[in-house]
């Protein structure tokens, strides 16, 4: 058995939005790994640069001319060294020379090649024998904001989070039931509803934020009663998309509302209370650490999660922890580039008692690696949509992981709620 890298190959493929993206194969003497990069629509400003100038074609050239010659001969088993080499080749803070998505695909393909060389599933290779806990699926049910165009809620995502399920399969079933019930409710509410779905497979309908909340409350309640465990829900406001820096207001176009930071804080606090939200992502724009901290101090039994705020970046998170800005963090490996970078951020989060939420991107591929990463790095929640091919690829992989673990499989602990 050998984990020495023999070849690194890159190609252009497409993501679920039809945008060009990069896929990388890493080949060792005894194994093979393949990974492709996702893409965000409502990206954080502090994310790494996805591709060098010239896009995916140029990124492929970088793999052929710079990355492959350096990596061939190295040991895929030394992930940190591989990721360090990627940083050295690039030599910028934001991967603008080789592209953050290039680094992402190489880093993940490398980990899988090593796992495959040992004949181990990726989650076990990365997480060891101790990795046996399944995450709760946080699933997008209704879309709005930047993920839609036209008349829809201003809030970007209404997300189901089933708690108390005994197995991942049960939890995923709950989300699918909620998704189905919401469809029926939307048919009644919006006479022109024609089963439209967003990139993430969530419903797109001509409804307001309050209507979306009411529909979610009923669907979650009914599902809780049918399945016998608590199905809660939360939201991703993606507030950077609503923020108008010139006016210094959050602009809710659909509802014709403009809120300053104080009013936004009060609005979110009331939503949490009224609808018993257990999860709120990016309630303020990405530089407003102060308001995040105020809200976190004021609410109980709710995860306040930073996505655009932290962009999986260890420095931004460390600063946030000092200010007590949140209690959860979205982990999108391609926001930061490599597996090692993301793992460092996850460890910082855990030390501070922040819940790491492993996440897909709105533009994604059928790549299922995040299912393994959630289990390996013990993230108690995975945010990955409910239906739609690229989402279900991750859900189904978690079902397989649960089966593989057999009696040792256990749902993660979600203490904060
Ligand atoms: P994305 O964002 O479009 O950048 O993937 C989704 C999110 O805000 O969580
Ligand atoms: Zn988000």
């Amino acid at each position: 058995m050998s984990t020495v890298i023999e070849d690194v190959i890159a190609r252009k493929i497409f993501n679920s939005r039809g945008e060009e993206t990069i896929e990388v194969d890493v080949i060792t003497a005894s194994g093979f790994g393949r990974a492709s990069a996702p893409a965000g629509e409502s990206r954080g400003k502090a994310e790494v640069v996805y591709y060098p100038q010239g896009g995916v074609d140029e990124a492929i050239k970088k793999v052929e001319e710079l990355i492959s010659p350096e990596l061939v001969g190295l040991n895929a088993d030394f992930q940190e060294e591989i990721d360090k080499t990627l940083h050295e080749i690039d030599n910028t803070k934001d991967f603008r020379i080789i592209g953050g998505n290039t680094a992402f695909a190489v880093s993940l393909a490398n980990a899988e090649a090593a796992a495959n060389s040992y004949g181990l599933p990726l989650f076990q290779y990365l997480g060891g024998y101790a990795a046996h806990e399944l995450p709760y699926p946080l699933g997008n049910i209704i879309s709005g904001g930047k993920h839609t165009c036209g008349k829809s809620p201003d809030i970007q995502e209404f997300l189901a989070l089933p708690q108390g399920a005994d197995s991942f399969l049960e939890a995923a079933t709950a989300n699918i039931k909620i998704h189905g019930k919401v469809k029926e409710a939307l048919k009644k509410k919006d006479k022109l509803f024609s089963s439209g779905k967003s990139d993430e497979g969530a419903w797109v309908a001509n409804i307001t934020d309050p209507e979306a909340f009411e529909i979610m409350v009923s669907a979650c309640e009914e599902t809780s009663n049918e399945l016998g465990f608590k199905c809660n829900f939360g939201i991703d406001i993606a507030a950077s998309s609503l923020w108008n820096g010139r006016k210094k207001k959050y602009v809710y176009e659909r509802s014709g509302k403009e809120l300053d930071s104080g009013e936004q804080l009060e609005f979110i606090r009331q939503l949490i209370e009224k609808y018993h939200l257990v999860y709120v992502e990016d309630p303020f724009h990405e530089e407003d650490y102060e308001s995040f901290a105020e809200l976190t101090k004021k609410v109980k039994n709710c995860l306040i999660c930073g996505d655009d705020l932290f962009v999986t970046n260890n420095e931004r998170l460390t600063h946030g922890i000092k200010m007590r800005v949140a209690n959860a963090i979205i982990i999108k490996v391609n926001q930061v580039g490599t597996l090692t970078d993301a793992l460092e951020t996850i460890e910082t989060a855990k030390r501070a008692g922040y819940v790491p939420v492993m996440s897909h991107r709105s533009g994604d591929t059928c790549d299922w690696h995040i299912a393994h990463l959630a289990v390996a790095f013990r993230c108690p929640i995975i945010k990955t949509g409910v239906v739609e091919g690229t989402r279900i690829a991750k859900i189904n992989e978690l079902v397989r992981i649960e089966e593989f673990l057999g009696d040792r499989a256990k749902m993660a602990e979600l203490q904060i709620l």
Side-chain angles (χ1 to χ4, degrees), residues 42 156-157 236 238 281-282 307-308 330 332 383:
S42 63
Q156 183 179 281
E157 297 167 34
D236 180 3
E281 185 177 324
D282 282 348
D307 172 12
D308 295 344
I330 282 280
K332 292 170 173 167
K383 183 184 177 195

Side-chain angles (χ1 to χ4, degrees), residues 142-393:
I142 300 174
S143 274
K146 229 180 168 178
H147 282 183
T148 61
C149 49
K151 296 218 179 311
S152 57
D154 287 307
I155 292 174
Q156 183 179 281
E157 297 167 34
F158 293 80
L159 302 143
L161 182 62
Q163 288 165 258
D166 281 339
S167 69
F168 181 81
L169 194 62
E170 254 184 25
T173 305
N175 279 1
I176 289 167
K177 266 187 182 284
I178 293 167
H179 192 266
K181 287 182 192 298
V182 167
K183 179 183 184 178
E184 294 310 311
L186 289 172
K187 275 200 235 163
K188 286 188 200 136
K189 191 101 222 158
D190 171 9
K191 293 291 167 247
L192 293 175
F193 180 64
S194 52
S195 308
K197 286 192 215 142
S198 64
D199 287 343
E200 297 187 357
W203 301 114
V204 179
N206 183 7
I207 52 167
T208 62
D209 288 331
E211 285 168 340
F213 277 112
E214 293 304 335
I215 288 172
M216 287 297 291
V217 168
S218 310
C220 289
E221 234 172 59
E222 278 174 32
T223 307
S224 298
N225 293 338
E226 281 170 30
L227 296 180
F229 57 84
K230 195 78 197 124
C231 298
N232 290 311
F233 78 103
I235 50 178
D236 180 3
I237 311 222
S240 295
S241 316
L242 303 177
W243 178 246
N244 181 319
R246 196 177 43 80
K247 290 187 177 171
K248 301 221 173 311
K249 294 257 168 89
Y250 292 95
V251 180
Y252 290 76
E253 274 179 20
R254 173 75 202 254
S255 37
K257 199 167 56 185
E258 297 194 357
L259 305 180
D260 66 24
S261 296
E263 290 163 342
Q264 173 81 350
L265 195 139
E266 193 43 29
F267 174 59
I268 305 295
R269 202 191 57 74
Q270 283 174 12
L271 289 180
I272 293 171
E273 213 166 78
K274 180 166 182 195
Y275 299 112
H276 305 292
L277 303 181
V278 292
Y279 179 89
V280 174
E281 185 177 324
D282 282 348
F284 306 99
H285 74 81
E286 59 212 304
E287 299 306 337
D288 192 358
Y289 283 69
E290 284 78 16
S291 299
F292 261 93
E294 275 291 297
L295 180 69
T296 304
K297 199 162 66 187
K298 282 196 170 139
V299 300
K300 277 206 290 284
N301 304 323
C302 181
L303 292 174
I304 305 298
C305 186
D307 172 12
D308 295 344
L309 177 74
F310 297 133
V311 291
T312 318
N313 179 302
N314 200 35
E315 272 172 40
R316 286 183 74 96
L317 174 64
T318 305
H319 175 62
I321 289 168
K322 277 193 204 125
M323 291 184 62
R324 300 170 186 263
V325 294
N327 51 30
I329 174 176
I330 282 280
I331 302 293
K332 292 170 173 167
V333 181
N334 84 322
Q335 284 181 326
V336 69
T338 72
L339 213 45
T340 306
D341 289 294
L343 182 56
E344 197 186 357
T345 305
I346 293 173
E347 281 170 353
T348 302
K350 285 196 190 154
R351 276 196 302 275
Y354 279 41
V355 174
V357 178
M358 184 58 65
S359 173
H360 65 167
R361 302 299 310 243
S362 55
D364 217 307
T365 68
C366 287
D367 189 302
W368 36 253
H369 286 106
I370 62 162
H372 286 258
L373 299 187
V375 179
F377 300 153
R378 307 220 215 144
C379 299
I381 302 178
I382 187 166
K383 183 184 177 195
T384 180
V386 180
V387 296
E388 193 277 324
T390 62
R391 321 292 148 189
I392 217 73

Side-chain angles (χ1 to χ4, degrees), residues 63-115:
V63 173
E64 286 164 358
E65 291 168 9
L66 299 176
I67 299 171
S68 182
E70 284 291 323
L71 261 47
V72 168
L74 296 185
N75 193 336
D77 209 4
F78 300 151
Q79 185 71 37
E80 279 182 33
E81 189 189 336
I82 300 295
D83 292 342
K84 195 164 146 262
T85 307
L86 290 169
H87 275 291
E88 282 167 3
I89 295 169
D90 183 86
N91 203 25
T92 67
K93 255 196 127 160
D94 55 8
F95 274 122
R96 61 179 53 244
I97 303 299
I98 63 170
N101 266 2
T102 316
F104 168 91
V106 172
S107 183
L108 254 95
N110 178 76
E112 199 200 332

